[in-house]
Amino acid sequence: MKDEQKNRPAKKTVLVLFPLSDLGQKIVGLFSQNGYRVNIILSNEKEQNEFNPPQENVSIFYLQAQPGQFWSNLADDVKSDILSAPVVIYCAGKDFLKMESTGKQEEWQIDFQSDTQKRLTFIDQLLSQFSENKPGLWINLAVGTTMQHSKATAYCKTRYGMIGFGKILELNPKFQGMTIRNICLSFFRHFHAGKAIDYCANCTTTDLRDSLMSLKNEDDLVRYLLNESEDLITRIAVEE
């Protein structure tokens, strides 16, 4: 029985959050073509009507007006399918740049009505829903922008959002052992456009820089994400 469990293929499911961009569409298409069950979360019903993914192995869901309604409206088996995905890909786009708040010091408020904050609130709820079936791989795909910090060198605003998000996961015992990949799409696109781009020395993409430099275009990037996911699935199968 134990040998049979080791040889049993791990569940090939991926949860893709807010993949409205062309890159997001490519991700959904390639994973579906390679036998993955793809669950997609979109921001609203309008996006669901506009999204046109391949039909095979793909399910689309959208956020309701009240964040808690999303989970209460799901059947138990559907909810279980979403939460058991070993791979989560968050197509963050400019979400880490668009977070808005007002006030200073202790007196500040988040704009909970903004689309960006609604997406981030959903992700916070999603993380709280994971139990023992946490994802093995979480990938953030975000657009960055360089800024000048007084007389210091350039830094990337997106860096702090992605690193902060990753640190939250690392400090939570529930998510220990989960691999987090932060990919700055601005670095990737500017590099391949031949433009000089000065990211801070601690750019979140530093640990992936060599891998990203070896890719020629977005299609290669999507295949890289698929290969990372395949490696994880293989490791899970061996461990089981």
Side-chain angles (χ1 to χ4, degrees):
M1 179 65 71
K2 191 173 181 180
D3 290 339
E4 289 179 3
Q5 288 177 342
K6 283 187 176 182
N7 294 327
R8 187 182 304 160
K11 185 175 183 180
K12 296 184 67 170
T13 306
V14 59
L15 176 60
V16 186
L17 306 176
F18 316 116
L20 275 186
S21 65
D22 290 342
L23 177 60
Q25 300 259 10
K26 289 179 180 180
I27 291 170
V28 171
L30 188 62
F31 274 78
S32 174
Q33 292 164 17
N34 282 272
Y36 277 77
R37 171 80 178 151
V38 184
N39 287 317
I40 300 171
I41 309 294
L42 297 175
S43 296
N44 51 55
E45 188 174 10
K46 180 181 178 182
E47 289 182 357
Q48 183 188 36
N49 294 333
E50 294 175 350
F51 197 76
N52 188 29
Q55 296 302 309
E56 188 176 0
N57 302 328
V58 176
S59 296
I60 305 177
F61 308 90
Y62 64 91
L63 305 186
Q64 282 78 25
Q66 299 299 320
Q69 289 180 330
F70 177 85
W71 300 106
S72 61
N73 290 344
L74 292 178
D76 289 343
D77 59 333
V78 175
K79 181 177 178 180
S80 176
D81 189 49
I82 291 174
L83 294 176
S84 62
V87 179
V88 177
I89 301 176
Y90 172 27
C91 299
K94 296 182 179 179
D95 279 356
F96 291 118
L97 297 176
K98 291 183 176 180
M99 290 185 291
E100 296 181 359
S101 63
T102 57
K104 297 180 180 179
Q105 298 177 356
E106 295 88 356
E107 300 297 327
W108 61 277
Q109 297 291 329
I110 295 174
D111 179 10
F112 288 104
Q113 299 305 311
S114 71
D115 289 339
T116 299
Q117 190 56 44
K118 288 178 181 178
R119 288 190 290 271
L120 294 172
T121 297
F122 169 78
I123 290 175
D124 183 57
Q125 292 182 342
L126 171 65
L127 294 173
S128 70
Q129 294 283 343
F130 287 121
S131 55
E132 48 191 52
N133 288 327
K134 67 183 179 188
L137 175 64
W138 184 292
I139 300 170
N140 294 311
L141 302 172
V143 174
T145 181
T146 50
M147 302 289 290
Q148 200 70 26
H149 186 267
S150 63
K151 296 181 181 179
T153 57
Y155 75 98
C156 180
K157 287 176 66 178
T158 303
R159 157 182 162 74
Y160 298 98
M162 284 206 289
I163 284 186
F165 181 80
K167 288 299 181 185
I168 289 173
L169 299 181
E170 289 175 9
L171 292 173
N172 190 326
K174 182 167 67 172
F175 297 110
Q176 287 186 2
M178 182 169 71
T179 299
I180 302 169
R181 291 280 187 262
N182 289 319
I183 297 178
C184 176
L185 296 176
S186 295
F187 167 78
F188 178 76
R189 290 164 179 164
H190 280 77
F191 171 77
H192 288 289
K195 298 178 181 178
I197 185 164
D198 181 21
Y199 272 86
C200 64
N202 296 316
C203 175
T204 57
T205 309
T206 298
D207 56 341
L208 301 176
R209 196 172 292 244
D210 291 343
S211 296
L212 294 180
M213 283 181 173
S214 69
L215 308 178
K216 296 180 180 179
N217 49 42
E218 277 195 352
D219 290 337
D220 280 356
L221 177 59
V222 176
R223 280 190 287 271
Y224 168 79
L225 300 180
L226 178 66
N227 290 337
E228 286 280 292
S229 302
E230 292 283 282
D231 288 345
L232 171 72
I233 299 294
T234 300
R235 290 200 304 272
I236 292 175
V238 171
E239 291 171 0
E240 291 182 347

Coordinates of all heavy atoms in Angstrom, one line a residue, residues 98-174:
K98 N -0.6 50.1 -6.0 CA -1.9 50.9 -5.9 C -2.5 50.9 -4.5 O -3.6 51.4 -4.3 CB -2.9 50.4 -6.9 CG -2.5 50.7 -8.3 CD -3.6 50.2 -9.3 CE -3.3 50.6 -10.7 NZ -4.4 50.1 -11.6
M99 N -1.9 50.2 -3.5 CA -2.4 50.2 -2.2 C -2.5 51.6 -1.7 O -1.6 52.4 -1.7 CB -1.6 49.3 -1.2 CG -1.6 47.9 -1.5 SD -0.7 46.9 -0.3 CE 1.0 47.3 -0.7
E100 N -3.7 52.0 -1.2 CA -3.9 53.4 -0.8 C -4.4 53.5 0.7 O -5.1 52.6 1.2 CB -5.0 54.0 -1.7 CG -4.6 54.2 -3.1 CD -5.7 54.8 -4.0 OE1 -6.7 55.2 -3.4 OE2 -5.5 55.0 -5.2
S101 N -3.8 54.5 1.4 CA -4.3 54.7 2.7 C -4.2 56.2 3.0 O -3.6 57.0 2.2 CB -3.4 54.0 3.7 OG -2.0 54.5 3.6
T102 N -4.9 56.7 4.0 CA -4.9 58.1 4.3 C -4.5 58.3 5.8 O -4.7 57.4 6.6 CB -6.3 58.7 4.1 OG1 -7.3 58.0 4.9 CG2 -6.7 58.7 2.6
G103 N -4.0 59.4 6.1 CA -3.6 59.7 7.5 C -2.1 59.5 7.8 O -1.4 59.2 6.8
K104 N -1.7 59.7 9.0 CA -0.3 59.6 9.4 C -0.2 58.8 10.7 O -1.1 58.8 11.5 CB 0.3 61.0 9.5 CG 0.4 61.8 8.3 CD 1.0 63.1 8.5 CE 1.1 64.0 7.2 NZ 1.7 65.3 7.5
Q105 N 1.0 58.2 10.9 CA 1.3 57.5 12.1 C 0.2 56.5 12.5 O -0.2 55.7 11.6 CB 1.7 58.5 13.2 CG 2.9 59.4 12.8 CD 3.2 60.4 13.9 OE1 2.5 60.6 14.9 NE2 4.3 61.1 13.7
E106 N -0.3 56.6 13.7 CA -1.3 55.6 14.1 C -2.7 55.9 13.5 O -3.5 55.1 13.4 CB -1.4 55.6 15.6 CG -0.2 55.1 16.4 CD 0.8 56.2 16.7 OE1 0.5 57.4 16.2 OE2 1.8 56.0 17.3
E107 N -2.9 57.2 13.1 CA -4.2 57.6 12.5 C -4.2 57.4 11.0 O -4.0 58.4 10.3 CB -4.5 59.0 12.9 CG -4.5 59.3 14.4 CD -5.6 58.5 15.1 OE1 -6.7 58.3 14.4 OE2 -5.4 58.1 16.2
W108 N -4.4 56.2 10.5 CA -4.5 56.0 9.1 C -5.5 55.0 8.8 O -5.9 54.2 9.6 CB -3.1 55.6 8.5 CG -2.6 54.3 9.1 CD1 -1.9 54.1 10.2 CD2 -2.7 53.0 8.4 NE1 -1.6 52.8 10.4 CE2 -2.0 52.1 9.3 CE3 -3.2 52.6 7.3 CZ2 -1.9 50.8 9.0 CZ3 -3.2 51.2 7.0 CH2 -2.5 50.3 7.8
Q109 N -6.1 55.1 7.6 CA -7.2 54.2 7.2 C -6.9 53.6 5.8 O -6.4 54.3 4.9 CB -8.5 54.9 7.1 CG -8.9 55.5 8.5 CD -9.4 54.3 9.4 OE1 -9.8 53.3 9.0 NE2 -9.2 54.5 10.7
I110 N -7.2 52.4 5.6 CA -7.1 51.8 4.2 C -8.4 52.0 3.5 O -9.5 52.0 4.1 CB -6.8 50.2 4.4 CG1 -5.5 50.0 5.0 CG2 -6.9 49.6 3.0 CD1 -5.2 48.5 5.3
D111 N -8.3 52.2 2.2 CA -9.5 52.4 1.4 C -10.0 51.0 1.0 O -9.6 50.4 0.0 CB -9.1 53.2 0.1 CG -10.4 53.4 -0.8 OD1 -11.5 53.0 -0.4 OD2 -10.2 53.8 -2.0
F112 N -10.9 50.5 1.8 CA -11.4 49.2 1.6 C -12.3 49.0 0.4 O -12.7 47.9 -0.1 CB -12.2 48.7 2.8 CG -11.3 48.4 4.0 CD1 -11.2 49.2 5.0 CD2 -10.5 47.2 4.0 CE1 -10.3 49.0 6.1 CE2 -9.6 46.9 5.0 CZ -9.5 47.8 6.1
Q113 N -12.8 50.2 -0.2 CA -13.7 50.1 -1.4 C -12.9 50.0 -2.7 O -13.5 49.8 -3.7 CB -14.6 51.4 -1.4 CG -15.5 51.5 -0.1 CD -16.3 50.3 0.1 OE1 -17.0 49.8 -0.8 NE2 -16.3 49.7 1.3
S114 N -11.6 50.2 -2.7 CA -10.9 50.2 -3.9 C -10.8 48.7 -4.4 O -10.8 47.8 -3.6 CB -9.4 50.7 -3.7 OG -8.7 49.8 -2.9
D115 N -10.7 48.6 -5.7 CA -10.6 47.2 -6.3 C -9.4 46.5 -5.8 O -9.4 45.3 -5.6 CB -10.6 47.3 -7.8 CG -12.0 47.7 -8.4 OD1 -13.0 47.5 -7.7 OD2 -12.0 48.2 -9.5
T116 N -8.3 47.3 -5.7 CA -7.0 46.7 -5.3 C -7.2 46.1 -3.9 O -6.8 44.9 -3.6 CB -5.9 47.7 -5.2 OG1 -5.7 48.2 -6.6 CG2 -4.6 47.1 -4.7
Q117 N -7.8 46.9 -3.0 CA -7.9 46.4 -1.6 C -8.9 45.2 -1.5 O -8.7 44.3 -0.6 CB -8.4 47.5 -0.7 CG -8.3 47.2 0.8 CD -6.9 46.8 1.2 OE1 -5.9 47.4 0.8 NE2 -6.8 45.7 2.0
K118 N -9.9 45.2 -2.3 CA -10.8 44.1 -2.3 C -10.1 42.8 -2.7 O -10.3 41.7 -2.1 CB -12.0 44.3 -3.3 CG -13.0 45.4 -2.8 CD -14.0 45.6 -3.9 CE -15.0 46.7 -3.4 NZ -16.1 46.9 -4.4
R119 N -9.2 42.9 -3.7 CA -8.4 41.7 -4.1 C -7.5 41.3 -2.9 O -7.4 40.1 -2.6 CB -7.6 42.0 -5.3 CG -8.4 42.1 -6.6 CD -7.6 42.1 -7.8 NE -6.9 43.4 -8.0 CZ -7.3 44.4 -8.6 NH1 -8.6 44.4 -9.1 NH2 -6.6 45.5 -8.8
L120 N -6.8 42.2 -2.3 CA -5.9 41.9 -1.2 C -6.7 41.4 0.0 O -6.2 40.5 0.7 CB -5.1 43.1 -0.8 CG -4.1 43.6 -1.9 CD1 -3.5 44.9 -1.5 CD2 -3.0 42.6 -2.1
T121 N -7.9 41.9 0.2 CA -8.7 41.3 1.3 C -9.1 39.9 1.1 O -9.1 39.1 2.0 CB -10.0 42.2 1.5 OG1 -9.6 43.5 1.9 CG2 -10.9 41.6 2.6
F122 N -9.4 39.6 -0.2 CA -9.7 38.2 -0.6 C -8.5 37.3 -0.3 O -8.7 36.2 0.2 CB -10.1 38.1 -2.0 CG -10.2 36.7 -2.5 CD1 -11.3 35.9 -2.2 CD2 -9.2 36.1 -3.2 CE1 -11.4 34.6 -2.6 CE2 -9.2 34.8 -3.6 CZ -10.3 34.0 -3.3
I123 N -7.3 37.8 -0.7 CA -6.1 36.9 -0.5 C -5.9 36.7 1.0 O -5.5 35.6 1.4 CB -4.9 37.6 -1.1 CG1 -5.0 37.5 -2.6 CG2 -3.6 36.9 -0.7 CD1 -4.0 38.3 -3.4
D124 N -6.1 37.7 1.8 CA -6.0 37.5 3.3 C -7.0 36.5 3.8 O -6.6 35.6 4.6 CB -6.3 38.9 4.0 CG -6.1 38.8 5.5 OD1 -5.0 38.4 5.9 OD2 -7.1 39.1 6.2
Q125 N -8.2 36.5 3.3 CA -9.2 35.5 3.6 C -8.8 34.1 3.1 O -9.0 33.1 3.8 CB -10.6 35.9 3.1 CG -11.2 37.1 3.8 CD -12.6 37.4 3.2 OE1 -13.0 36.9 2.2 NE2 -13.3 38.2 4.0
L126 N -8.3 34.1 1.9 CA -7.8 32.8 1.3 C -6.8 32.2 2.2 O -6.8 31.0 2.5 CB -7.3 33.1 -0.1 CG -6.5 31.9 -0.8 CD1 -7.5 30.8 -1.1 CD2 -5.9 32.4 -2.1
L127 N -5.8 32.9 2.6 CA -4.7 32.4 3.5 C -5.3 31.9 4.8 O -4.8 30.8 5.3 CB -3.7 33.5 3.8 CG -2.9 34.0 2.6 CD1 -2.0 35.2 3.0 CD2 -2.0 32.9 2.0
S128 N -6.3 32.5 5.3 CA -6.9 32.0 6.6 C -7.7 30.7 6.3 O -7.9 30.0 7.3 CB -7.8 33.1 7.1 OG -9.0 33.2 6.4
Q129 N -8.1 30.4 5.1 CA -8.9 29.2 4.8 C -8.0 28.0 4.7 O -8.5 26.9 4.9 CB -9.7 29.4 3.5 CG -10.8 30.5 3.5 CD -12.0 30.0 4.3 OE1 -12.2 28.8 4.5 NE2 -12.8 30.9 4.7
F130 N -6.7 28.2 4.3 CA -5.9 27.0 4.2 C -5.7 26.3 5.5 O -5.4 27.0 6.5 CB -4.5 27.4 3.6 CG -4.5 27.8 2.2 CD1 -4.1 29.1 1.8 CD2 -4.9 26.9 1.2 CE1 -4.1 29.4 0.5 CE2 -4.9 27.3 -0.1 CZ -4.5 28.5 -0.5
S131 N -5.8 25.0 5.5 CA -5.5 24.3 6.8 C -4.3 23.5 6.6 O -3.2 24.0 6.3 CB -6.7 23.4 7.1 OG -7.0 22.6 6.0
E132 N -4.4 22.2 6.7 CA -3.2 21.3 6.5 C -2.8 21.2 5.1 O -1.7 20.8 4.7 CB -3.4 19.9 7.1 CG -4.7 19.3 6.7 CD -5.0 18.1 7.6 OE1 -5.0 18.2 8.8 OE2 -5.3 17.0 7.0
N133 N -3.7 21.5 4.1 CA -3.4 21.4 2.7 C -2.9 22.7 2.2 O -3.5 23.3 1.2 CB -4.6 20.9 1.9 CG -4.9 19.4 2.2 OD1 -4.0 18.6 2.4 ND2 -6.2 19.1 2.2
K134 N -1.9 23.3 2.8 CA -1.4 24.6 2.3 C -0.7 24.4 0.9 O -0.3 23.2 0.6 CB -0.3 25.1 3.3 CG 0.9 24.2 3.3 CD 1.9 24.7 4.3 CE 3.1 23.8 4.3 NZ 4.0 24.1 5.4
P135 N -0.6 25.4 0.1 CA 0.1 25.3 -1.2 C 1.6 25.0 -0.9 O 2.2 25.4 0.1 CB -0.1 26.7 -1.8 CG -1.2 27.3 -1.1 CD -1.2 26.8 0.3
G136 N 2.2 24.3 -1.8 CA 3.7 24.1 -1.7 C 4.4 25.2 -2.4 O 5.6 25.4 -2.1
L137 N 3.8 25.9 -3.4 CA 4.4 26.9 -4.1 C 3.5 28.1 -4.3 O 2.4 27.9 -4.8 CB 4.9 26.4 -5.5 CG 5.5 27.3 -6.5 CD1 6.8 27.9 -6.0 CD2 5.7 26.7 -7.9
W138 N 3.9 29.3 -4.0 CA 3.2 30.5 -4.2 C 4.0 31.5 -5.0 O 5.1 31.8 -4.6 CB 2.8 31.2 -2.8 CG 1.9 32.4 -2.9 CD1 2.2 33.6 -3.5 CD2 0.6 32.5 -2.5 NE1 1.2 34.4 -3.5 CE2 0.1 33.8 -2.9 CE3 -0.3 31.6 -1.9 CZ2 -1.2 34.3 -2.6 CZ3 -1.6 32.1 -1.6 CH2 -2.0 33.4 -1.9
I139 N 3.5 31.9 -6.1 CA 4.2 32.8 -7.1 C 3.5 34.1 -7.2 O 2.3 34.2 -7.5 CB 4.3 32.1 -8.5 CG1 5.0 30.8 -8.4 CG2 5.0 33.1 -9.5 CD1 4.9 30.0 -9.7
N140 N 4.3 35.2 -6.9 CA 3.8 36.6 -7.1 C 4.3 37.1 -8.4 O 5.6 37.1 -8.6 CB 4.2 37.5 -6.0 CG 3.5 37.0 -4.7 OD1 2.3 36.8 -4.6 ND2 4.3 36.9 -3.6
L141 N 3.5 37.6 -9.3 CA 3.9 38.2 -10.6 C 3.5 39.7 -10.5 O 2.3 40.0 -10.6 CB 3.3 37.6 -11.8 CG 3.6 36.1 -12.0 CD1 2.8 35.5 -13.1 CD2 5.1 35.8 -12.2
A142 N 4.4 40.6 -10.3 CA 4.1 42.0 -10.0 C 4.8 43.0 -10.9 O 6.0 42.7 -11.3 CB 4.3 42.3 -8.6
V143 N 4.2 44.1 -11.2 CA 4.8 45.2 -12.0 C 5.5 46.1 -10.9 O 4.9 46.5 -9.9 CB 3.8 45.9 -12.8 CG1 4.4 47.2 -13.4 CG2 3.2 45.0 -13.9
G144 N 6.7 46.5 -11.2 CA 7.4 47.4 -10.2 C 7.7 48.8 -10.9 O 7.4 49.0 -12.0
T145 N 8.2 49.7 -10.1 CA 8.6 51.0 -10.6 C 9.7 51.5 -9.7 O 9.6 51.4 -8.5 CB 7.4 52.0 -10.6 OG1 7.9 53.2 -11.2 CG2 6.8 52.2 -9.3
T146 N 10.7 52.1 -10.3 CA 11.8 52.6 -9.5 C 11.5 54.0 -9.1 O 10.9 54.8 -9.8 CB 13.1 52.6 -10.3 OG1 12.9 53.2 -11.6 CG2 13.6 51.2 -10.5
M147 N 11.9 54.3 -7.9 CA 11.8 55.7 -7.3 C 13.1 56.1 -6.7 O 14.0 55.3 -6.4 CB 10.7 55.6 -6.2 CG 9.3 55.2 -6.6 SD 8.5 56.3 -7.7 CE 8.1 57.6 -6.5
Q148 N 13.3 57.4 -6.5 CA 14.5 57.9 -5.9 C 14.2 58.3 -4.5 O 13.2 59.0 -4.2 CB 15.0 59.2 -6.6 CG 16.4 59.5 -6.4 CD 17.4 58.5 -7.0 OE1 17.0 57.8 -8.0 NE2 18.5 58.3 -6.4
H149 N 14.9 57.7 -3.5 CA 14.6 57.9 -2.1 C 15.6 58.9 -1.6 O 16.8 58.6 -1.3 CB 14.7 56.6 -1.3 CG 14.4 56.7 0.1 ND1 15.3 57.0 1.1 CD2 13.1 56.7 0.7 CE1 14.6 57.0 2.3 NE2 13.4 56.9 2.1
S150 N 15.2 60.2 -1.5 CA 16.1 61.3 -1.1 C 17.4 61.2 -1.9 O 17.4 61.3 -3.1 CB 16.3 61.3 0.4 OG 17.0 60.1 0.8
K151 N 18.5 61.1 -1.2 CA 19.8 61.1 -1.9 C 20.3 59.7 -2.1 O 21.4 59.5 -2.5 CB 20.8 61.9 -1.1 CG 20.5 63.4 -1.0 CD 21.6 64.2 -0.3 CE 21.2 65.7 -0.2 NZ 22.3 66.4 0.6
A152 N 19.5 58.7 -1.7 CA 19.9 57.3 -1.8 C 19.8 56.8 -3.2 O 19.3 57.5 -4.1 CB 19.1 56.5 -0.8
T153 N 20.2 55.6 -3.4 CA 20.1 55.0 -4.8 C 18.6 54.7 -5.0 O 17.7 54.7 -4.2 CB 20.9 53.7 -4.8 OG1 20.4 52.8 -3.8 CG2 22.4 54.0 -4.6
A154 N 18.3 54.3 -6.3 CA 17.0 54.0 -6.7 C 16.5 52.8 -5.9 O 17.3 51.9 -5.5 CB 16.9 53.7 -8.2
Y155 N 15.2 52.7 -5.6 CA 14.6 51.6 -5.0 C 13.3 51.3 -5.7 O 12.7 52.1 -6.4 CB 14.4 51.8 -3.5 CG 13.2 52.7 -3.2 CD1 12.0 52.1 -2.8 CD2 13.3 54.0 -3.2 CE1 10.9 52.9 -2.5 CE2 12.3 54.9 -2.9 CZ 11.1 54.3 -2.6 OH 10.0 55.1 -2.3
C156 N 12.8 50.1 -5.5 CA 11.5 49.7 -6.2 C 10.4 49.7 -5.2 O 10.4 49.0 -4.1 CB 11.7 48.3 -6.8 SG 10.2 47.7 -7.6
K157 N 9.3 50.4 -5.5 CA 8.2 50.5 -4.6 C 7.5 49.1 -4.4 O 7.0 48.8 -3.3 CB 7.1 51.5 -5.1 CG 7.5 52.9 -5.0 CD 6.5 53.8 -5.6 CE 5.1 53.8 -4.9 NZ 4.2 54.7 -5.5
T158 N 7.5 48.3 -5.4 CA 6.9 47.0 -5.4 C 7.6 46.1 -4.4 O 7.0 45.2 -3.8 CB 6.9 46.3 -6.7 OG1 6.2 47.2 -7.6 CG2 6.1 45.0 -6.7
R159 N 8.9 46.3 -4.3 CA 9.8 45.5 -3.4 C 9.2 45.3 -2.0 O 9.1 44.2 -1.5 CB 11.2 46.1 -3.3 CG 12.0 45.7 -2.1 CD 13.3 46.4 -2.1 NE 13.9 46.4 -0.7 CZ 14.4 45.3 -0.2 NH1 14.4 44.2 -0.8 NH2 15.0 45.4 1.0
Y160 N 8.7 46.4 -1.4 CA 8.2 46.4 0.0 C 6.9 45.6 0.1 O 6.7 44.9 1.1 CB 8.2 47.8 0.5 CG 9.5 48.4 0.5 CD1 9.9 49.3 -0.5 CD2 10.5 48.1 1.5 CE1 11.2 49.8 -0.5 CE2 11.7 48.6 1.5 CZ 12.1 49.5 0.5 OH 13.4 50.0 0.4
G161 N 6.1 45.8 -0.9 CA 4.8 45.0 -0.9 C 5.1 43.5 -1.0 O 4.5 42.7 -0.2
M162 N 5.9 43.1 -1.9 CA 6.2 41.7 -2.1 C 7.0 41.1 -1.0 O 6.7 40.0 -0.5 CB 6.9 41.4 -3.5 CG 6.0 41.6 -4.7 SD 6.6 40.6 -6.1 CE 8.0 41.5 -6.6
I163 N 8.0 41.8 -0.5 CA 8.8 41.3 0.6 C 7.9 41.2 1.9 O 7.9 40.2 2.6 CB 10.0 42.1 0.9 CG1 11.1 41.8 -0.2 CG2 10.6 41.9 2.2 CD1 12.4 42.5 0.0
G164 N 7.1 42.2 2.1 CA 6.2 42.2 3.3 C 5.3 41.1 3.2 O 5.0 40.4 4.2
F165 N 4.7 40.8 2.1 CA 3.7 39.7 1.9 C 4.4 38.4 2.2 O 3.9 37.5 2.9 CB 3.2 39.7 0.5 CG 2.2 38.7 0.2 CD1 0.9 38.8 0.6 CD2 2.5 37.5 -0.5 CE1 -0.1 37.8 0.4 CE2 1.6 36.5 -0.8 CZ 0.3 36.6 -0.3
G166 N 5.7 38.2 1.6 CA 6.4 37.0 1.8 C 6.8 36.8 3.3 O 6.7 35.7 3.8
K167 N 7.1 37.9 4.0 CA 7.5 37.8 5.4 C 6.3 37.4 6.2 O 6.5 36.6 7.2 CB 8.1 39.1 5.9 CG 9.4 39.4 5.3 CD 10.5 38.4 5.7 CE 11.9 38.7 5.2 NZ 12.8 37.6 5.5
I168 N 5.1 37.8 5.9 CA 3.9 37.4 6.6 C 3.8 35.9 6.5 O 3.5 35.2 7.5 CB 2.7 38.1 6.0 CG1 2.7 39.6 6.4 CG2 1.4 37.5 6.6 CD1 1.6 40.4 5.7
L169 N 4.0 35.4 5.3 CA 3.9 33.9 5.2 C 5.0 33.2 5.9 O 4.7 32.1 6.5 CB 3.9 33.6 3.7 CG 2.7 34.2 2.8 CD1 2.9 33.7 1.4 CD2 1.4 33.8 3.4
E170 N 6.2 33.7 5.8 CA 7.3 33.0 6.5 C 7.2 33.0 8.0 O 7.6 32.0 8.6 CB 8.6 33.7 6.1 CG 9.0 33.5 4.6 CD 10.3 34.4 4.3 OE1 10.9 34.9 5.2 OE2 10.6 34.4 3.1
L171 N 6.6 34.0 8.6 CA 6.4 34.1 10.0 C 5.3 33.3 10.6 O 5.1 33.1 11.8 CB 6.3 35.5 10.5 CG 7.5 36.4 10.2 CD1 7.2 37.9 10.5 CD2 8.7 35.9 11.1
N172 N 4.4 32.8 9.6 CA 3.2 32.1 10.1 C 3.6 30.6 10.0 O 3.9 30.0 9.0 CB 2.0 32.3 9.1 CG 0.7 31.7 9.6 OD1 0.7 30.6 10.3 ND2 -0.4 32.4 9.3
P173 N 3.6 29.9 11.2 CA 4.0 28.5 11.3 C 3.2 27.6 10.3 O 3.7 26.6 9.8 CB 3.7 28.1 12.7 CG 3.7 29.4 13.5 CD 3.2 30.4 12.5
K174 N 2.0 28.0 10.0 CA 1.1 27.2 9.1 C 1.8 27.1 7.7 O 1.5 26.2 6.9 CB -0.3 27.9 9.0 CG -1.2 27.1 8.1 CD -2.7 27.6 8.4 CE -2.9 29.0 7.9 NZ -4.3 29.4 7.9

